[in-house]
Amino acid sequence: PPVVVPQHFELGGDARCSCGEPADTSNHKKQLTTTLYSSYCAVKCTIDVVSCSKCPASTHRFAGPDLGALGIFNFNNTRLFTHELLNEMLARYTCSETTFVAFCTALRRTYDEHCSSVPFLATRAFVQAWFSFRRLQKLTDSYQCPICKEFPDVIIADGVTANYPKRHIQSTLRPPTHKESDAPTRL
């Protein structure tokens, strides 16, 4: 099914530049063409922006709308990403250690399959957007040191997760942590 999004995104009270400066709505409004990337196709649309009043004019930086309430990450006013797409990368990485290259290759194939009129972007551009999105989110885990409490400065861990296919199991197969009785002892 096609991505159902507005053809135009207007400035709102939450508009700001990537430097963090809120939009000065007294500045002249400009309309840019942007691309919205989802998990199966990309669509062209337009977005209202105003020149950033804090950044030097030579940088051509614009304050644009925060589209988070719509489930859209506004990366740089010319590239928008659905939260669903960006969260899918995290889900795949954490459950199967999917690389960015593999994820982007799979998306390019999906875009081709869905006859997307706009191809998926280069891996490097996606990586930049993904890390920008991740910086906005608070990611935590359940680890808590009994001495330091939350967020210790240093974590030292020793462990192995191993799985052997049944066809490789032999009487001599041992996990990497197995100690032979005649192994040297180190202090």
Side-chain angles (χ1 to χ4, degrees), residues 3-9 31-37 42-48 67 72 77-81 118:
V3 176
V4 179
V5 296
Q7 290 296 305
H8 179 74
F9 295 102
Q31 194 175 88
L32 299 177
T33 299
T34 186
T35 305
L36 173 63
Y37 295 92
V43 293
K44 294 282 186 184
C45 43
T46 56
I47 189 169
D48 286 340
L67 305 172
I72 298 170
N77 295 317
T78 59
R79 290 185 180 148
L80 312 175
F81 298 86
V118 180

Side-chain angles (χ1 to χ4, degrees), residues 13-116:
D14 53 3
R16 61 185 60 251
C17 178
S18 60
C19 73
E21 184 71 12
D24 181 356
T25 53
S26 66
N27 286 348
H28 176 70
K29 189 167 47 170
K30 183 176 180 178
Q31 194 175 88
L32 299 177
T33 299
T34 186
T35 305
L36 173 63
Y37 295 92
S38 75
S39 60
Y40 54 90
C41 71
V43 293
K44 294 282 186 184
C45 43
T46 56
I47 189 169
D48 286 340
V49 296
V50 294
S51 294
C52 179
S53 55
K54 185 177 180 183
C55 294
S58 61
T59 63
H60 304 288
R61 288 208 158 168
F62 297 99
D66 179 357
L67 305 172
L70 299 174
I72 298 170
F73 174 61
N74 182 352
F75 176 60
N76 60 4
N77 295 317
T78 59
R79 290 185 180 148
L80 312 175
F81 298 86
T82 63
H83 290 180
E84 175 256 344
L85 168 65
L86 297 168
N87 287 328
E88 180 66 23
M89 175 59 209
L90 180 65
R92 289 189 190 190
Y93 176 75
T94 57
C95 73
S96 66
E97 298 179 12
T98 302
T99 65
F100 285 108
V101 171
F103 183 76
C104 291
T105 300
L107 277 173
R108 283 186 199 94
R109 293 174 182 167
T110 301
Y111 274 44
D112 287 345
E113 180 184 329
H114 286 90
C115 301
S116 177

